[in-house]
Amino acid sequence: RRPGGGPADDLRDLRQFQGQAGAVGFEAKTPEGMLVRYLAAPGPATALALGDVTMHGESLLLAGEDGMALGCSDIQVAGKAVQPGYTDFAFRLKDGVFSDVQPIYRPIEPVTIAPESDVFVDSVKVHLASTTPGVVIHYTTDGTDPTPQSPLYTGPFTLTHTAVVYARAYRPGVTANPPQTSGTDATAPSLARFDKVRWVEPVTIPRYQPQPRPGLECSYFQADWKKLWLDLDELKPQARGVVPKLWDLSLIPASNPPVGPTPAPRQKYYALDYSGYLRVPADGVYVLHAPRAFVMPDTDPGGRLEVYLGNRMGTGVFANRVEGINQWYPSTRLHGLGTWSIALKKGLHLFRVVWLDYRTDMAQRLNRPGLRDYIWAGVTPDLKISGPDLPAQPIPAAWLFHRP
């Protein structure tokens, strides 16, 4: 605003205009008389032209003798191509001479650490990556914060013992961790813990005993949601049977009808308890993937999901004694978020899933169109499994068995 000027004076020297292929921009003069011109593109390949400067990119700014280009793929000054060496940069343009190029860095994409599974038996090969081109990665395996003097990542490395991996991505030439948190010169450290574990041995059923048959045993419970949550093992089920697959809802009686057009949720609180065996086809680390609503805070799942898999063994002198069944607890770290990894030997493993659904009509009452659901509105939890040469998928019905 000019000294003493009013609203009309504020806009007197501002002119909006449209460039080629839908580009839009403006030009204006500052109180000191400096001409400022700006042009923004609707797409990355749009041609932009201001004065003697033409380029293909996202946006172009000229302010007196200073300029800035973002997303630039090529640029010309007075019809002659110049090579700034960067896609985002500031520059000087004085008397038609293009000079003083300075890179403008966007935040570096954080380092991703793979594999997603966080346990191993003998060894694990660790991969580090950042999608930002041209950066270098330094890492540690002793739980300390990496610096540019830490080991340089040049390719996958192997761990043979329990370790905590930290990793940072840096711009070339950075010699110390920057004090700021902008992420333009170095990322915040990424973290992954890899635990060396023993194999979970399969269950052996003697030949003289009845052999497992396909399907899972299922029990249906109906009560106050607090009793279902706290005292399920002490309640008597209203129905029992064998179902061919996980999330079969056929035991829910007609007296507990759906609240909408889908088979669930229902008008009354209920719980389903599936139990039996999971027959895994090969030795390997298997990963259970939690449904999104059970690990992200922006949606209430409206229920409780419990998963149990494989014999839990003792420790120390009791290492060979079965002490129960392993209970699922999804990872809360960024690495492996919402997953549970377990090393299973080929064969039958104890398996149990409990699903308590206390939503009733909450999703209908509380969710609003156009907004992320406050109450999860699905039918049954989207629990998945992955393993050796097995992409994440619903638990196969062919893997499920029960004792007759």
Side-chain angles (χ1 to χ4, degrees):
R1 173 178 294 190
R2 295 173 179 172
D9 294 317
D10 296 340
L11 302 176
R12 183 184 305 169
D13 294 327
L14 176 66
R15 182 173 70 87
Q16 297 180 347
F17 60 88
Q18 186 163 344
Q20 300 177 10
V24 294
F26 68 87
E27 67 176 29
K29 281 188 177 181
T30 69
E32 296 75 22
M34 181 176 68
L35 180 64
V36 178
R37 290 173 289 177
Y38 177 74
L39 198 57
T46 301
L48 304 177
L50 290 177
D52 291 338
V53 181
T54 59
M55 63 169 272
H56 287 87
E58 298 173 6
S59 62
L60 177 62
L61 171 70
L62 297 178
E65 297 177 350
D66 297 313
M68 182 180 71
L70 298 178
C72 175
S73 58
D74 61 80
I75 187 169
Q76 296 181 341
V77 176
K80 295 182 179 180
V82 295
Q83 302 296 330
Y86 307 97
T87 57
D88 304 322
F89 55 91
F91 60 90
R92 293 294 301 272
L93 186 62
K94 185 175 182 180
D95 300 328
V97 178
F98 182 84
S99 63
D100 243 1
V101 176
Q102 299 292 328
I104 298 174
Y105 289 132
R106 305 186 189 200
I108 303 171
E109 286 298 316
V111 177
T112 57
I113 304 176
E116 183 179 43
S117 56
D118 54 11
V119 303
F120 64 97
V121 176
D122 298 313
S123 64
V124 63
K125 187 170 287 187
V126 179
H127 299 252
L128 308 178
S130 171
T131 57
T132 301
V135 298
V136 294
I137 297 174
H138 292 271
Y139 69 95
T140 62
T141 58
D142 59 1
T144 60
D145 191 9
T147 71
Q149 289 71 46
S150 300
L152 174 68
Y153 178 73
T154 57
F157 57 91
T158 300
L159 295 176
T160 58
H161 60 277
T162 295
V164 177
V165 176
Y166 276 92
R168 285 179 182 262
Y170 296 86
R171 300 282 179 190
V174 174
T175 59
N177 288 341
Q180 73 275 10
T181 58
S182 64
T184 54
D185 292 323
T187 63
S190 296
L191 158 69
R193 178 185 173 94
F194 294 95
D195 287 302
K196 187 171 185 176
V197 298
R198 294 180 296 161
W199 287 111
V200 176
E201 297 291 339
V203 173
T204 301
I205 299 176
R207 292 185 179 180
Y208 60 83
Q209 292 186 1
Q211 296 301 299
R213 295 181 180 179
L216 292 173
E217 293 181 351
C218 182
S219 298
Y220 170 79
F221 299 85
Q222 186 176 302
D224 181 78
W225 71 270
K226 293 185 288 296
K227 285 186 174 293
L228 294 172
W229 188 299
L230 300 173
D231 303 319
L232 184 67
D233 290 337
E234 299 177 9
L235 298 178
K236 181 179 179 180
Q238 280 80 9
R240 283 179 175 167
V242 174
V243 294
K245 61 181 180 179
L246 188 62
W247 308 128
D248 186 295
L249 304 179
S250 59
L251 287 183
I252 303 179
S255 58
N256 189 7
V259 297
T262 58
R266 299 286 178 137
Q267 292 184 6
K268 302 173 185 177
Y269 309 127
Y270 71 92
L272 290 167
D273 187 340
Y274 303 90
S275 63
Y277 301 100
L278 186 73
R279 176 176 282 171
V280 298
D283 297 352
V285 174
Y286 289 82
V287 181
L288 287 167
H289 304 259
R292 184 188 185 281
F294 288 84
V295 292
M296 302 301 289
D298 54 0
T299 301
D300 187 328
R304 182 180 184 181
L305 176 64
E306 299 177 42
V307 183
Y308 304 83
L309 177 59
N311 283 329
R312 186 180 78 248
M313 308 302 292
T315 59
V317 296
F318 303 108
N320 295 320
R321 186 174 72 182
V322 176
E323 295 188 344
I325 185 171
N326 294 301
Q327 184 173 1
W328 169 59
Y329 183 80
S331 171
T332 54
R333 300 187 183 95
L334 184 60
H335 171 255
L337 180 66
T339 66
W340 176 40
S341 302
I342 184 169
L344 301 175
K345 278 282 192 176
K346 177 182 177 179
L348 290 171
H349 294 270
L350 292 174
F351 182 58
R352 182 188 179 198
V353 175
V354 178
W355 166 232
L356 160 60
D357 189 344
Y358 54 74
R359 293 173 295 169
T360 61
D361 65 343
M362 288 194 295
Q364 293 180 341
R365 290 187 289 109
L366 300 177
N367 294 345
R368 295 291 181 268
L371 301 176
R372 183 180 294 280
D373 286 350
Y374 175 67
I375 302 295
W376 175 66
V379 178
T380 54
D382 187 25
L383 180 68
K384 294 182 178 179
I385 192 170
S386 61
D389 300 319
L390 180 78
Q393 59 187 270
I395 296 174
W399 291 17
L400 303 175
F401 292 83
H402 71 284
R403 292 284 295 274

